[in-house]
Amino acid sequence: MDHIVTVQDAVTAFADFMEPTDAELDAIEQEMPVILAEVDLLDVQIKALDRPVNEVDARRIRRARNRALAAWRDLANRTAGASAPGGAA
């Protein structure tokens, strides 16, 4: 009969290697404006689900979508400029 402790030791034996690396944390930090903008967009869309969309809700959704797109654009421009050799874009 196998004990749960044996299985737990096998599962958690590599827990130290499952932590994000510094490079992964830096990538998340660079993408944080995009993540926050998309969360704001989802919040606005969720609020608009409870009732028929009026002009104010449509404007809020459009502005949140534009902020998310701008965050994506800024991220793409940052990463394209960082990966181009010699700083040429």
Side-chain angles (χ1 to χ4, degrees):
M1 178 171 169
D2 293 329
H3 296 286
I4 294 175
V5 176
T6 325
V7 174
Q8 182 180 3
D9 290 340
V11 171
T12 59
F14 299 104
D16 292 338
F17 299 111
M18 295 176 71
E19 294 294 321
T21 64
D22 289 338
E24 291 170 335
L25 291 174
D26 290 340
I28 292 170
E29 188 66 31
Q30 285 183 348
E31 293 177 6
M32 191 56 66
V34 173
I35 295 168
L36 294 175
E38 289 189 348
V39 167
D40 289 342
L41 175 60
L42 283 173
D43 286 343
V44 171
Q45 290 173 335
I46 288 169
K47 288 177 186 175
L49 287 176
D50 292 342
R51 58 187 181 277
V53 177
N54 57 25
E55 183 61 32
V56 175
D57 289 333
R59 189 177 303 145
R60 285 182 184 137
I61 292 170
R62 187 172 53 247
R63 287 179 181 170
R65 186 177 297 126
N66 288 339
R67 284 191 298 268
L69 289 173
W72 274 109
R73 178 198 63 216
D74 294 343
L75 177 65
N77 288 338
R78 259 196 323 267
T79 55
S83 63

